Amino acid sequence: MIQIQQNITLFPRWMSNKSIAFYFIALLLVSAIYQQFSLPWYYMLSGSVSVFVFFHYATTLSRQWTTNKITTDKRFEKKIFWASFAIRFVWMTLIYIVFQTEYDNAFGFENGDATFYSDSAKNVASLIINGQFDEIVSIFGDMDISDIGYAIYLGLVYALTDNSIYISRIIKCLLSAWTVLFMFRIAKVNYGDNIARLTAIFCMLWPNFWYYCGTSLKETEMVFLGVLFVYMADSMLRTTNFSAWEIIPILLISAALFTFRTALALLTVLCLLFSIVMSSTKVIGWGKRIIIGFLALLLIGVTMGNSVMEHTTELVEEVQSGKQAYNMEWRARREHGNKFAKYAGKTVFAPLIFTIPFPTMIRPFEGQENQQLLNGGNYIKNILSFFVILSMFMLLFSGKWRNNLVPLSYLIGYMVILAMSQYAQSERFHQPAMPIEFMFAAYGLSQVLKGVPVYKNIGSRIKYKKWFNMWCVLMFVAAIAWGWFKLAGRGLI
């Protein structure tokens, strides 16, 4: 009989079963109430498989992969990397075949951004092959700076692979598997081996990460760069043998992110500086703070100074000008728009930012295919946000947040930016934060299982069980209410 190690963090079977049950009941109930607008069977299937696989194997693997059979980190890393790659490769290949069969292209439905990136990359690849490097700049004349980086990267891949979309997506699978591996290492340094293993299992199993490996969108690469930044910055601030040169690759990652998503790049710069200033002296001494801070400001000023100032000003002006409110008004007026959208804004999004978007379990009109396909993944996020929110309060009240500043400031900072933006409800824009969210979900779960109070006497194992049950009921109601919201707002019921 296999002996379970002491003090390991498992995803309890009762939580897994309850989460799965509430999803299936919600899906069946929504389909029965709004029968005319029920999801196609294949989206029901994708959601059902996603939810079952995630919760069932989160429980199974959190037990199997923390036993004495896999005791060393090296063995675990090898297993989690190749398992993550295999899952993504199978999904990517399957969806590639479906897209080619059903849509006669490799991009499938709602493919405007994907085809734009791919076409731009093919132009870049052609110029690279022909040695016309000086003309590459002309391609990006009308392109936003936050799209240039991915187009160049994909163009290089195309140039090396004879414009092979399939090979470019195999590389995405590898990058996503590396993301899982880096999250294990980040979580291990911050919270120990057990929480790190559960973090990696969550990241491996979340189906939304799989999905972007099967598209030509930039999310997989962007998530990888964000996690790589957190890993390298956190490692640098914790090392006792600090070298001034270590900050250069970290800032190069920030510079690369400027050409993927400007707001995320700005966040990494601020995250680094904030972590330097606020770190506990037990983690980073004052001498190291001064050296790193000076080098960071110097390199940022020399290499990205103008861009940082311009885009910071632009983001501030967007918030002050009420662009979010204008966008919500537009969403209410557009074709197939929802009249309730105009009432949404940062006051609504901010309290829900760790939880939204809710799963789309209905089909109000022809479109929103991605939201329907990813309904299961969004439900998983809804459920696990319970532990993320708890962990935020626990870290705040305990004062332990100072020991985990890089991942914490990265997550909180991005969520604040997202809550104030016009994309707070967009699943795609939540992607960069999700690996870090899963780490805090694993940490929150570990504290729940130990019965650690949120604050003073608030919280125990028994109370947490009641709270989790209540949360599942709340997410169940939210899933049904979201279906009503999408239909009633369009005057369909």
Side-chain angles (χ1 to χ4, degrees), residues 188-438:
K188 181 175 174 61
V189 170
N190 282 270
Y191 294 115
D193 184 71
N194 298 316
I195 293 173
R197 294 190 181 201
L198 188 59
T199 298
I201 290 169
F202 283 165
C203 291
M204 177 184 73
L205 293 175
W206 196 46
N208 295 33
F209 287 150
W210 312 347
Y211 169 74
Y212 289 102
C213 293
T215 73
S216 291
L217 299 171
K218 62 184 177 181
E219 270 61 33
T220 297
E221 290 80 3
M222 186 165 53
V223 170
F224 171 77
L225 287 173
V227 168
L228 183 61
F229 166 84
V230 173
Y231 172 70
M232 295 186 67
D234 195 47
S235 299
M236 180 190 70
L237 294 179
R238 292 179 183 277
T239 185
T240 55
N241 300 316
F242 167 67
S243 170
W245 296 103
E246 291 179 35
I247 196 171
I248 295 177
I250 296 171
L251 292 176
L252 288 176
I253 295 172
S254 294
L257 281 170
F258 262 101
T259 63
F260 276 76
R261 184 164 295 166
T262 305
L264 184 60
L266 290 172
L267 169 65
T268 59
V269 173
L270 296 175
C271 170
L272 180 61
L273 295 176
F274 178 79
S275 299
I276 291 168
V277 173
M278 297 301 295
S279 288
S280 168
T281 53
K282 294 180 181 180
V283 177
I284 173 172
W286 279 106
K288 192 193 292 187
R289 295 188 200 200
I290 294 171
I291 295 172
I292 297 175
F294 173 76
L295 289 173
L297 290 173
L298 179 64
L299 288 173
I300 291 168
V302 171
T303 61
M304 297 181 287
N306 291 334
S307 295
V308 170
M309 289 301 298
E310 289 175 8
H311 291 288
T312 300
T313 303
E314 182 180 329
L315 288 172
V316 171
E317 288 176 351
E318 283 187 11
V319 174
Q320 292 177 340
S321 65
K323 190 171 183 178
Q324 185 187 63
Y326 175 81
N327 183 265
M328 292 300 108
E329 183 71 30
W330 170 78
R331 288 173 181 271
R333 296 195 311 265
R334 65 178 177 173
E335 184 181 6
H336 300 304
N338 191 313
K339 67 181 180 182
F340 296 139
K342 62 183 178 182
Y343 300 112
K346 53 182 175 288
T347 54
V348 174
F349 293 140
L352 300 172
I353 198 62
F354 288 113
T355 304
I356 56 177
F358 296 115
T360 296
M361 296 181 172
I362 49 92
R363 188 181 181 88
F365 56 90
E366 293 293 326
Q368 297 190 339
E369 305 275 356
N370 286 334
Q371 296 179 34
Q372 294 162 39
L373 176 65
L374 299 176
N375 76 88
N378 290 343
Y379 173 81
I380 293 166
K381 181 182 191 293
N382 301 157
I383 294 294
L384 290 189
S385 67
F386 170 78
F387 301 109
V388 179
I389 295 168
L390 276 182
S391 70
M392 295 296 106
F393 283 109
M394 288 175 175
L395 291 169
L396 174 64
F397 292 133
S398 68
K400 294 180 179 179
W401 58 272
R402 292 173 64 89
N403 297 326
N404 315 109
L405 273 173
V406 176
L408 190 60
S409 59
Y410 177 89
L411 175 62
I412 297 295
Y414 187 76
M415 287 308 191
V416 169
I417 293 171
L418 191 59
M420 294 189 298
S421 77
Q422 55 189 305
Y423 306 109
Q425 177 59 22
S426 173
E427 184 275 337
R428 276 179 66 182
F429 282 80
H430 282 259
Q431 285 286 309
M434 288 310 300
I436 308 299
E437 274 202 56
F438 284 135

Side-chain angles (χ1 to χ4, degrees), residues 142-200:
D142 298 324
M143 190 180 295
D144 190 270
I145 189 173
S146 61
D147 290 324
I148 291 175
Y150 181 62
I152 293 176
Y153 158 78
L154 194 58
L156 288 170
V157 173
Y158 280 0
L160 295 171
T161 62
D162 193 24
N163 291 336
S164 174
I165 295 172
Y166 186 72
I167 294 178
S168 74
R169 293 179 184 175
I170 293 177
I171 296 173
K172 286 178 182 286
C173 296
L174 288 168
L175 291 176
S176 189
W178 274 110
T179 300
V180 175
L181 187 58
F182 281 127
M183 281 309 307
F184 168 74
R185 294 175 179 176
I186 293 168
K188 181 175 174 61
V189 170
N190 282 270
Y191 294 115
D193 184 71
N194 298 316
I195 293 173
R197 294 190 181 201
L198 188 59
T199 298

